[in-house]
């Protein structure tokens, strides 16, 4: 049992599963049958032996403060079905009174604690400030040359017109992106690649391509004049170009509510990016935590939607004060007991507009809307204020927003009545990610 005495629900445990097969297998192992030597500690850890197909039971241990998992099974999934089963058993029945971990579990937990307490590599070493300055100057010069070349490429695009881009193909844009990589500007390379894919994205692509080209031109000009920009905006420009953040950002300790978690896979399938949205319950500040998974494995950080964790979050410079890293945690996570406060659609647009002043390249801003009513229509879905006359459109995706199962799930949760919805508000509308029914703190993650 955790220090707070509150267990996760089965839904929150299953939300950690990397795929449907793991979810089903973990559910089957969520009973006491295959388990032995089950236990837990007051500090928030679980362990157990699960009888598998071999002679030796699998050793499974879970650190709830992470959450983090260790299992001797050969599975490459994270968490594996045994960790899910142990968590389900704990959430339903518990694991008895807190006790002392067996040696195989205690060693892993001790190693994690020692690693967390160990100072970062190189801490305390005198920095080679002069060498770092010269390296930064050389990289800035390379980026400047790349930006000048990119500006010429954009000028050629407008001079020749957009009409021929469908026939021109993607190869020329990939070559330009490779030039930006050579210039050590990976942020520019990514935007160039996105620009090159727009002509194949269906009706209305010329307007979208012109918009993205204008934003790319704005970023180029901002880099060429970065020395004259305010510190916060200059940090944003450097981050957008692809430079690592310099210095440490602000550290904020709060009780953070997990509003949403979503995964995206890169086009080549080599990288999985997990986006975790948090909001401080005391300060109200939003935070975006990113984690990445190598080929064949999901990201290691997994936070079920609806949990609250008391932790320190360190915000990175730039990016409208949104990007953050999760730091020290001071207690095990517990379910939130209330629905987060929402705002009107007009207030959501104002929040996005204020964020754009700090980061003009910001695609969207996290907001909680409520109470709103989802309304399907001939031109797509809208989220309308329950008391008012304004609404936000839901961006079309693929063959149309009506083909997205998450929207029908939202309509089912609503039942025609008002709901609270968390999502991303941007220039194309509002993308819903999580919903709450009135007077119910149980979140519904929208597929």
């Amino acid at each position: 049992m955790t220090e707070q005495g509150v267990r996760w629900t089965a839904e929150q445990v299953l939300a950690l599963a990397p795929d449907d097969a793991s979810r089903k297998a973990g559910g089957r192992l969520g009973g006491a049958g295959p388990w032995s030597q089950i236990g837990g500690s007051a500090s928030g850890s679980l362990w157990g032996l699960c009888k598998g197909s071999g002679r030796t039971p699998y050793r499974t241990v879970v650190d709830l403060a992470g959450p983090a998992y260790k299992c001797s099974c050969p599975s490459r999934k994270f968490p594996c079905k045994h960790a899910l089963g142990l968590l389900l058993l704990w959430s339903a029945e518990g694991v008895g009174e807190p006790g002392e971990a067996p040696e195989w579990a205690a060693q892993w937990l001790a190693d994690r604690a020692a690693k967390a307490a160990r100072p970062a590599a190189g801490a305390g070493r005198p920095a080679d400030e002069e060498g770092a300055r010269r390296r930064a100057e050389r990289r800035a010069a390379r980026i400047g040359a790349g930006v000048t070349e990119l500006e010429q490429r954009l000028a050629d695009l407008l001079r020749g017109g957009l009409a021929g881009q469908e026939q021109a193909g993607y190869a020329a844009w990939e070559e330009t992106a490779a030039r930006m990589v050579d210039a050590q500007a990976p942020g520019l390379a990514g935007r160039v690649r996105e620009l090159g894919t727009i002509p194949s994205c269906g009706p209305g692509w010329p307007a979208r391509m012109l918009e993205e080209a204008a934003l790319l031109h704005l970023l180029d000009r901002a880099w060429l004049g970065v020395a004259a920009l305010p510190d916060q905006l200059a940090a944003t420009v450097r981050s957008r170009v692809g430079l690592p953040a310099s210095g440490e950002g602000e550290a904020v300790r709060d009780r953070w509510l997990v509003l949403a978690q979503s995964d995206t896979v890169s086009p080549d399938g080599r990288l999985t990016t997990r986006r975790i949205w948090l909001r401080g319950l005391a300060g109200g500040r939003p935070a975006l935590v990113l984690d990445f998974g190598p080929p064949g494995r999901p990201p290691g950080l997994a936070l079920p939607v609806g949990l609250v964790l008391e932790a320190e979050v360190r915000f990175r410079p730039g990016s409208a004060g949104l990007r953050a890293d999760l730091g020290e945690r001071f207690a095990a996570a517990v379910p939130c007991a209330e629905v987060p406060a929402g705002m009107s659609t007009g207030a959501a647009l104002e929040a996005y507009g204020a964020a754009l002043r700090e980061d003009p390249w910001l695609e969207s801003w996290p907001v909680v809307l409520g109470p709103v009513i989802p309304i399907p229509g001939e031109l797509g879905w809208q989220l309308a204020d329950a008391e008012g006359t304004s609404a936000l459109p839901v961006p079309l995706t693929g063959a149309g927003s009506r083909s997205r199962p998450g929207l029908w799930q939202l309509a089912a949760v609503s039942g025609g009545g008002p709901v609270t919805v968390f999502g991303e508000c941007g220039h194309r509308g509002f993308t819903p990610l999580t919903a709450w029914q009135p007077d119910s703190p149980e979140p519904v993650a929208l597929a």
Side-chain angles (χ1 to χ4, degrees), residues 411-432:
V413 171
S414 167
V419 290
T420 299
V421 183
F422 168 76
E424 301 178 27
C425 181
H427 61 282
R428 293 188 177 91
F430 184 89
T431 302

Side-chain angles (χ1 to χ4, degrees), residues 70-293:
K70 175 69 173 179
C71 186
S72 61
C73 75
S75 174
R76 299 182 63 183
K77 296 181 179 181
F78 190 83
C80 68
K81 63 183 181 181
H82 304 99
L84 291 170
L86 183 59
L87 282 167
L88 286 170
L89 180 63
W90 165 72
S91 70
E93 302 177 3
V95 291
E97 294 297 322
E100 183 177 351
E103 182 179 355
W104 53 268
Q107 184 61 53
W108 180 75
L109 294 169
D111 290 344
R112 277 183 51 80
K115 185 177 180 180
R118 189 181 306 138
R125 298 178 183 175
D128 182 4
E129 296 182 1
E130 180 63 22
R133 183 185 64 81
R134 291 177 180 176
R135 289 191 295 271
E137 288 178 351
R138 288 195 295 268
R139 182 170 186 179
R142 292 192 188 98
I143 294 175
V147 164
T148 301
E149 181 178 345
L150 181 55
E151 282 291 278
Q152 184 60 52
R153 179 73 172 88
L154 294 176
D156 293 343
L157 171 67
L158 297 181
R159 188 180 299 111
L162 301 179
Q165 287 300 305
E166 281 187 301
Q167 289 73 34
Y170 180 72
W173 291 109
E174 180 57 36
E175 180 181 353
T176 303
R179 298 284 293 170
M180 296 305 103
V181 173
D182 293 340
Q184 295 185 296
L188 291 178
R191 298 189 76 92
V192 168
R193 290 191 177 99
E194 291 180 7
L195 186 65
T197 62
I198 292 178
S200 61
C201 290
W205 69 263
R208 293 196 297 275
M209 191 167 195
L210 188 60
E211 290 173 358
E212 293 302 322
L215 286 172
L216 188 52
H217 169 67
L218 179 64
L219 184 56
D220 288 345
R221 303 306 301 176
W223 171 260
L224 295 176
V226 68
L229 296 177
D231 291 344
Q232 186 70 16
L233 184 56
T236 296
V237 171
R238 293 188 181 97
S239 175
R240 290 293 183 182
V241 167
L243 291 175
S246 58
E248 293 188 352
E250 179 185 7
V252 179
R253 178 173 175 174
D254 203 335
R255 296 178 64 245
W256 299 93
L257 170 62
V258 183
L259 290 169
Q261 176 177 288
S262 60
D263 291 355
T264 57
V265 181
S266 61
D268 58 7
R270 295 182 179 179
L271 183 69
T272 299
T273 302
R274 176 163 293 167
R275 296 162 61 88
I276 300 176
W277 289 107
L278 307 175
R279 184 165 80 168
L281 294 181
R285 184 168 181 175
L288 172 61
V289 177
L290 299 183
D291 197 24
F292 304 93

Side-chain angles (χ1 to χ4, degrees), residues 223-393:
W223 171 260
L224 295 176
V226 68
L229 296 177
D231 291 344
Q232 186 70 16
L233 184 56
T236 296
V237 171
R238 293 188 181 97
S239 175
R240 290 293 183 182
V241 167
L243 291 175
S246 58
E248 293 188 352
E250 179 185 7
V252 179
R253 178 173 175 174
D254 203 335
R255 296 178 64 245
W256 299 93
L257 170 62
V258 183
L259 290 169
Q261 176 177 288
S262 60
D263 291 355
T264 57
V265 181
S266 61
D268 58 7
R270 295 182 179 179
L271 183 69
T272 299
T273 302
R274 176 163 293 167
R275 296 162 61 88
I276 300 176
W277 289 107
L278 307 175
R279 184 165 80 168
L281 294 181
R285 184 168 181 175
L288 172 61
V289 177
L290 299 183
D291 197 24
F292 304 93
R297 296 199 63 177
L301 181 62
L303 298 175
V305 177
L307 288 186
V308 175
L309 57 153
E310 184 177 353
E312 181 180 84
V313 168
R314 185 170 295 277
F315 289 87
R316 298 190 178 189
S319 301
L322 190 62
R323 177 75 186 280
D325 297 306
L326 189 60
E328 182 181 359
R329 306 184 198 183
F330 304 98
V334 297
C336 186
E338 58 186 19
V339 178
M343 63 175 65
S344 67
T345 55
L349 289 176
E350 291 179 3
Y352 176 51
L356 283 176
R357 291 197 292 269
E358 298 185 33
D359 184 354
W361 303 275
L362 194 66
E363 289 286 336
S364 59
W365 185 255
V367 295
V368 178
L369 291 180
V372 291
I373 300 175
I375 303 175
E378 291 296 327
L379 300 179
W381 289 71
Q382 293 184 339
L383 295 176
D385 289 330
E387 298 179 1
T389 58
S390 59
L392 285 175

